[in-house]
Amino acid sequence: MGVKGFVEGGIASIIAGCSTHPLDLIKVRMQLQGETNLKPNPLHNLRPALAFQTTSSIHVPHPSIPQPRVGPIAVGVRLVQQEGLAALFSGVSATVLRQTLYSTTRMGLYDVLKNKWTEPTTGTMPLAKKIEAGLIAGGIGAAVGNPADVAMVRMQADGRLPPAQRRNYKSVVDAITRMAKQEGVTSLWRGSSLTVNRAMLVTASQLASYDQFKEMILERGVMRDGLGTHVTASFAAGFVAAVASNPVDVIKTRVMNMKVEAGAEPPYAGVLDCALKTVRAEGPMALYKGFVPTISRQGPFTVVLFVTLEQVRKLLKDF
């Protein structure tokens, strides 16, 4: 399909992204629950003046203040009460840019690889090849769209900060420009390894499983190729993608959202450090924080994405 596949995928992705943006915002807020914003205690690295071994240190633990975890409905209600109804679409401009860069690239590349690797005799592609195509397309798409992804996470999370600490980005362009000026151009690719890994998992599980479920439904004669088949296959694909990507998504959100001040030690030294601190402080299930809104968003997003994609394909069939 060439360029046509990119156009079809881009249109479907933007529509799906905008329509499910409030659910994505609630997911981000939930993933940041329990994250401590305490600054590193200088006593942690205080060494005795006469110590001969440089590895010795005095450990002074932080006081732990337990915070109750809140469900997605409560998070949404509180968000509207505190920030207004319009807050549900905070960062939607970043979502549009992200879908334009990331999803257009991954959907288009997957389509190109799918057409190239489909067996001419059967008209199908083995599941292993579908997964491989998804991994390649997702990785490249994520690298292209990472700046918009960082901006989107920050704009969505800004409202949870105290007024004095909020970044108050006016738009996605303002967010990207200020990040580049204040934190350097490399900040636009902060957490890119996580973004790439997540995108590879999501694209491989989402697109490959959609095609696989759709083929199974049609081959077994459960339903005809129509809206029912598209909705069923896409919702199943959304569930698979949510299970596979949620742990990486939690760490990605926290790394991208961390505030790095000049001369101060950052909250996380890197991806692995963030994962270890999260699990130690909040337990392994913290990696599945926000799973309910994730599946609540991933399901509708995937349904809207593929149903829209199938309709756009019909409309552009003769072009």
Side-chain angles (χ1 to χ4, degrees):
M1 278 190 185
V3 177
K4 190 178 176 184
F6 287 87
V7 174
E8 293 171 347
I11 293 172
S13 298
I14 291 170
I15 292 173
C18 290
S19 61
T20 58
H21 182 82
L23 293 172
D24 193 48
L25 187 147
I26 291 171
K27 176 203 72 175
V28 167
R29 294 291 180 91
M30 287 191 69
Q31 289 174 341
L32 292 172
Q33 283 183 31
E35 185 181 35
T36 56
N37 292 317
L38 294 173
K39 294 182 179 179
N41 192 327
L43 290 175
H44 271 228
N45 296 319
L46 182 64
R47 294 186 175 88
L50 299 177
F52 292 97
Q53 295 181 356
T54 57
T55 55
S56 63
S57 61
I58 297 175
H59 178 72
V60 181
H62 287 304
S64 57
I65 304 173
Q67 296 179 348
R69 296 181 181 179
V70 185
I73 296 176
V75 170
V77 171
R78 186 172 61 185
L79 189 149
V80 172
Q81 289 176 340
Q82 295 179 352
E83 303 172 44
L85 192 62
L88 291 172
F89 284 91
S90 297
V92 72
S93 61
T95 292
V96 173
L97 180 60
R98 177 178 180 269
Q99 297 300 337
T100 302
L101 297 175
Y102 160 62
S103 288
T104 299
T105 302
R106 75 178 183 118
M107 298 288 286
L109 284 177
Y110 181 82
D111 198 62
V112 169
L113 294 173
K114 181 181 174 182
N115 290 330
K116 185 177 181 180
W117 291 346
T118 295
E119 296 178 359
T121 53
T122 61
T124 60
M125 184 168 66
L127 179 59
K129 284 289 184 182
K130 291 173 186 171
I131 294 173
E132 185 179 350
L135 291 172
I136 294 171
I140 295 173
V144 172
N146 200 81
D149 207 8
V150 177
M152 183 184 71
V153 168
R154 290 191 173 195
M155 291 174 75
Q156 288 178 334
D158 209 36
R160 68 184 285 274
L161 297 172
Q165 296 180 21
R166 291 178 187 175
R167 300 178 177 102
N168 295 318
Y169 297 130
K170 297 176 182 177
S171 66
V172 64
V173 176
D174 179 50
I176 291 175
T177 303
R178 282 172 56 187
M179 275 189 286
K181 288 181 179 178
Q182 296 171 3
E183 303 173 47
V185 177
T186 55
S187 67
L188 298 176
W189 275 270
R190 180 173 293 155
S192 59
S193 61
L194 284 166
T195 306
V196 169
N197 289 332
R198 178 190 178 277
M200 291 172 71
L201 287 171
V202 168
T203 306
S205 56
Q206 188 185 64
L207 301 187
S209 58
Y210 173 76
D211 283 342
Q212 192 68 23
F213 284 128
K214 183 181 174 183
E215 285 177 11
M216 289 170 60
I217 292 171
L218 296 177
E219 286 175 2
R220 298 181 183 183
V222 179
M223 286 184 281
R224 293 183 296 175
D225 189 4
L227 184 62
T229 298
H230 302 157
V231 171
T232 304
S234 58
F235 193 84
F239 181 80
V240 173
V243 172
S245 66
N246 203 88
V248 180
D249 202 28
V250 171
I251 304 303
K252 175 184 76 75
T253 297
R254 295 190 173 196
V255 170
M256 286 183 170
N257 186 59
M258 71 176 177
K259 196 168 186 178
V260 182
E261 298 177 357
E265 185 181 340
Y268 307 116
V271 171
L272 183 59
D273 183 51
C274 179
L276 291 174
K277 284 181 177 177
T278 299
V279 173
R280 286 171 184 168
E282 304 166 53
M285 289 310 295
L287 297 177
Y288 275 91
K289 274 189 174 181
F291 181 74
V292 172
T294 293
I295 188 60
S296 298
R297 182 254 180 192
Q298 194 69 257
F301 175 86
T302 311
V303 170
V304 175
L305 173 66
F306 287 114
V307 169
T308 305
L309 181 62
E310 298 284 1
Q311 297 305 312
V312 171
R313 281 174 176 169
K314 289 180 181 179
L315 290 173
L316 300 179
K317 188 176 181 180
D318 298 327
F319 287 91

